[in-house]
Every structure is written in structure tokens, then in C-alpha cells.
Amino acid sequence: MRKKIVVGNWKMNLSRKEADDLVREISQSTSLDNNTEIVFAPPFIYLDSVSSVCLNRQFFSTAAQNCSSYSNGAYTGEISAQMIDSLEVKYVIIGHSERRQNFNETDKVLNLKMNQALKNNLNVIFCCGEDINQREANQHFDIIEKQLSSTIFKLDIHNFKDIIIAYEPIWAIGTGKTASSDQAQEMHSFIRSLIDKRYDNKTGSLTLLLYGGSCNASNAYELFSKEDIDGGLIGGASLNSSDFISIIKSF
Ligand code: 13P
């Protein structure tokens, strides 16, 4: 059986104090049961302290929001996968649409980042998703297949086991317009069938698939009740402890 997992992608939000308070409130919450993995993806500057808290708590872990495509050296401002690994961080998010759009990250760059991450013991949360024009033109399945074929499907089966896929339709990110649970399930089941085809049924049935895009305390239960949705990659609603706790409890 696949585990359940909820990832809070804080993006570029929260002061140091707000970050500390949020992690304390969630990690000390007594209302959480122990079956769901809870992942915080804070900005780099807080990653060390959040990671230290999570290392002391079962079922809590951390993700970096990005990593460099280079291994080390004269790359001012960059953070390497090796540095992230040295903080005992478990995951790195790669391929988020905000990085593709605002920082021109191409498939080539994503593949370099992925190689760095996997080489340095990090698991990858790989994002894919179509924009509104592609959805309205009924191209969403083709777009997702292309995004996966040119990136994670280049990995061999041995590396693919360290990949989680997050389906994040761009039109649903930060818009309050969630994909319906049927739309999300339809895409997740399609992605799983692609994994079956590219690798094998066992790999398909073991790969974790997360939904992201305006997932919140009110719609998480319905989304997470779908067969192929193993959890969520949460933006805005992960910045508030009671909302995030409700989402974690929505299985
Ligand atoms: P929102 O939950 O704010 O729509 O963001 C989703 C997302 O991009 C998570 O990575």
C-alpha cells in the first residue's frame, strides 16, 4: 500500500518568527495521527532549523524548494544538492511551474537538477501541469505526457523509485480554482498508466502521486479520497497551522 503524504510548499513567504511558530504548532499538535508523512518545504534560509525540528519527530521531514544544477564551485547565490543533503533534508521540489515560468527552467536544466539531487541521496518531488489554454484545447494529457517523457521518464527504474510526482495544473495554482476531484483523479490515473507503460505495473502502483493547486481544508478530503491521489502539495493553505493540520487529517 502507498503511504499518504502532505507537503507544504511555503514558497517565498514567512518571517523567521512566523516560520518557527508554524513548525512548532504543527509538529506539537496532538490531534495528528501517525499515518501521514508531513513535509515542510521552507525557503532555504530556514531549512536548517526546520530540518533540525523534523529530525526529532517521526513522520516529519523537509524538502528544499530548489537545488542547483551544478555540483559546486563559483556559482554565486546557488545551493547545491550536496549541501541540502548535509542538512539531512529528504526531498527537493523540481519542475515547479513557477520555476519553469519565472526562472526559465527548461527540461535540460530540470534534468541536470534531478541528476544532482539523486546523486546526493535526495528524493525528488517532480511537478508537472498544463496551463489554462492547454486545458481548454483539450491538450492536457499530451502536455503531461510530454513533460514526463522529456524528464523523469529518462531515468532508469532504479532511480525512478526516488521520484514522487505532483500534478499541479497551472490554472489552479494560487487561483482558488481547484481541479475537481474527478479531473484530478482522471489525470492521476493517466499518469499512473504512463508509469506502468514506461516501467512496469509494480512501479506504477508504488509511485506516489500528489495533487497541488488551491488544495485547502475544505476540498482536501474529497481530493484525497480518490484512488490515485496519495496526498497533496499545498501552497497558500500550508502557511496557516490550523488549515494545514486539517489538510493532513483529510484522509
Ligand atoms: P496553492 O496551494 O497556493 O494553489 O499552490 C500550490 C502549489 O503551487 C504548491 O506547490
Side-chain angles (χ1 to χ4, degrees):
M1 210 175 83
R2 294 186 297 272
K3 69 179 170 188
K4 302 294 178 191
I5 170 166
V6 176
V7 184
N9 177 9
W10 299 358
K11 307 189 180 182
M12 196 171 72
N13 290 297
L14 303 182
S15 67
R16 173 65 191 255
K17 177 172 183 324
E18 287 167 337
D20 287 347
D21 289 349
L22 182 64
V23 170
R24 195 189 52 254
E25 283 160 20
I26 296 166
S27 64
Q28 292 180 2
S29 168
T30 49
S31 67
L32 294 173
D33 66 26
N34 285 342
N35 292 323
T36 301
E37 182 171 354
I38 301 158
V39 184
F40 296 113
F44 274 125
I45 197 162
Y46 308 137
L47 197 51
D48 192 9
S49 67
V50 176
S51 173
S52 311
V53 174
C54 291
L55 288 173
N56 292 322
R57 307 223 168 237
Q58 216 189 347
F59 299 106
F60 280 86
S61 49
T62 43
Q65 294 178 18
N66 184 24
C67 73
S68 180
S69 54
Y70 300 101
S71 55
N72 70 296
Y75 300 103
T76 303
E78 288 288 273
I79 311 251
S80 72
Q82 188 177 31
M83 294 169 187
I84 296 167
D85 177 52
S86 73
L87 303 182
E88 298 187 63
V89 169
K90 187 169 174 186
Y91 300 101
V92 58
I93 299 172
I94 292 179
H96 196 286
S97 56
E98 289 156 11
R99 299 237 29 116
R100 294 181 197 246
Q101 286 178 339
N102 301 326
F103 301 95
N104 302 320
E105 292 193 356
T106 59
D107 288 342
K108 186 171 167 216
V109 170
L110 301 183
N111 286 331
L112 290 169
K113 290 186 174 200
M114 212 149 43
N115 287 336
Q116 286 298 327
L118 295 171
K119 222 165 57 185
N120 287 286
N121 313 311
L122 297 171
N123 294 282
V124 172
I125 300 171
F126 188 85
C127 305
C128 60
E130 80 284 358
D131 67 25
I132 190 63
N133 295 329
Q134 294 162 337
R135 165 67 63 166
E136 283 174 355
N138 210 26
Q139 294 167 342
H140 42 292
F141 294 114
D142 287 349
I143 294 294
I144 299 303
E145 183 164 4
K146 252 189 226 139
Q147 287 178 356
L148 300 180
S149 302
S150 54
T151 53
I152 48 175
F153 285 173
K154 288 181 182 291
L155 296 170
D156 67 27
I157 194 163
H158 162 75
N159 280 322
F160 194 80
K161 69 173 178 17
D162 296 327
I163 304 286
I164 292 176
I165 300 174
Y167 170 57
E168 296 206 310
I170 297 170
W171 47 273
I173 296 178
T175 58
K177 203 173 149 196
T178 327
S180 70
S181 55
D182 287 340
Q183 284 174 319
Q185 165 58 27
E186 186 184 32
M187 184 57 84
H188 281 226
S189 136
F190 175 69
I191 293 171
R192 210 177 287 292
S193 73
L194 294 177
I195 304 168
D196 289 347
K197 217 164 28 171
R198 165 64 183 89
Y199 297 99
D200 55 34
N201 289 359
K202 180 166 176 238
T203 308
S205 70
L206 289 175
T207 303
L208 296 176
L209 304 182
L210 310 184
Y211 170 78
S214 297
C215 182
N216 58 38
S218 326
N219 58 31
Y221 184 82
E222 197 185 329
L223 285 160
F224 296 172
S225 67
K226 294 293 183 183
E227 189 184 337
D228 289 299
I229 301 183
D230 303 308
L233 178 53
I234 319 297
S238 72
L239 300 173
N240 175 289
S241 57
S242 62
D243 286 350
F244 197 55
I245 288 168
S246 298
I247 295 172
I248 295 163
K249 290 162 74 177
S250 295
F251 289 100

